[in-house]
Amino acid sequence: AKRSGKNTFAIYNEKMRIQAARLRATKEEIQGALEDGISFIPYFQPQFLAGSLELAGAEALVRWQHPRKGILPPGEFLHIAEEMNCVAEIDRQVLRKSLAIVSDWREAGLVLPRLSVNVSSQRLADPGLLFSVEGFEDQVSRLSFELVESTYLDNTSEQVKQTLAQLQDLGVEMEIDDFGSGYASIASLVNIRPKRLKIDRTLVSNVDRDDAMTSLVQSIVDIARALEVEVIAEGAETASQIETLTSIGCDILQGYGLARPMSAEMFLETYGMQETASVASQR
Ligand code: C2E
Ligand code: MG
Ligand code: MG
Ligand code: MG
């Protein structure tokens, strides 16, 4: 028994060793991807006005263009990047690239009403955040930062508060992401003075099937109204959810039921259509 116990331990040890080696390799790949400057790219998920379903904006969502594994979603690497303390650098690259892409779209005739970019708490604490919009001054009035991890937002340091205020002075809007998920608190609505809040997907998924959930989301909308904060519902997947969210008074809708995140090329192809057509007809 003693012997087999030892063997089990040896096998376990071997597994751990392989796992650790794999993690090390992934970290090196992430480091390399950050340095090449082309591997982390934004995808864009459109958002629509509730009711009219006009294009209201888009959320930039990071993807890792991996040489062997293809396009990877953040769930595959962001937690590792966090351990490496390099989410702030990913955020910086995603923001700069998104702004450049939106700028190109404008030249191609597609004016995006608003660009929303996720900003991690790591990035928020970085005083350089302010400089990342440099060179894109013409776009700041259509730029919005989605702030997550509000455990952090609730006891914001003076430094963070100052950076946020300076960005808001420049015209950058703030949004509270994943509201109702347990991380974003009601206090952040007063502390951050956001322009919008995004109701978390977990609340949206049952909004049309559970009366208590409908009332809960309705109450969030009421609070937002009272504070003059707009409401976005994320993760709207079905026609019935879209209908309920609209009747409850959500301002903006985002979800697979309307459109999935897509590449910059696909976004322009899909939402730049009308412009392209009118430009073509002028020729
Ligand atoms: P999030 O900011 O709450 O973004 C919404 C996520 O929900 C996205 O996942 C989006 O693809 C997904 N989603 C949208 N509609 C639906 C739907 O109808 N059903 C379902 N099941 N999912 C839907 P994604 O792109 O995998 O991103 C996951 C999370 O990673 C984001 O959640 C955000 O917290 C983080 N993230 C993404 N991009 C960045 C970034 O550039 N920087 C930072 N710091 N975090 C990012
Ligand atoms: Mg977000
Ligand atoms: Mg969200
Ligand atoms: Mg979410």
Side-chain angles (χ1 to χ4, degrees), residues 242-262:
I242 291 167
E243 195 177 307
T244 306
L245 292 163
T246 304
S247 71
I248 278 176
C250 289
D251 303 290
I252 295 163
L253 307 176
Q254 175 183 356
Y256 292 173
L258 294 153
R260 287 183 176 254
M262 60 189 92

Side-chain angles (χ1 to χ4, degrees), residues 29-124:
E29 282 186 331
I30 291 177
Q31 194 57 48
L34 274 172
E35 280 162 19
D36 74 28
I38 52 171
S39 295
F40 291 109
I41 56 163
Y43 261 36
F44 297 89
Q45 187 177 28
Q47 301 173 337
F48 304 90
L49 292 181
S52 72
L53 296 187
E54 269 172 71
L55 185 67
E59 176 176 11
L61 295 158
V62 67
R63 297 292 182 263
W64 182 2
Q65 218 162 8
H66 193 280
R68 293 186 317 278
K69 299 177 190 159
I71 302 281
L72 302 179
E76 306 257 338
F77 60 86
L78 213 54
H79 58 289
I80 303 171
E82 206 155 309
E83 237 178 76
M84 298 165 65
N85 272 323
C86 65
V87 182
E89 176 56 20
I90 292 180
D91 284 2
R92 198 188 62 81
Q93 292 191 6
V94 168
L95 174 63
R96 300 286 298 179
K97 283 179 198 180
S98 301
L99 286 167
I101 288 165
V102 169
S103 202
D104 288 348
W105 285 349
R106 180 147 38 168
E107 270 174 35
L110 169 64
V111 178
L112 188 70
R114 173 176 37 77
L115 170 69
S116 289
V117 180
N118 291 284
V119 174
S120 73
S121 56
Q122 267 184 22
R123 186 79 176 111
L124 204 55

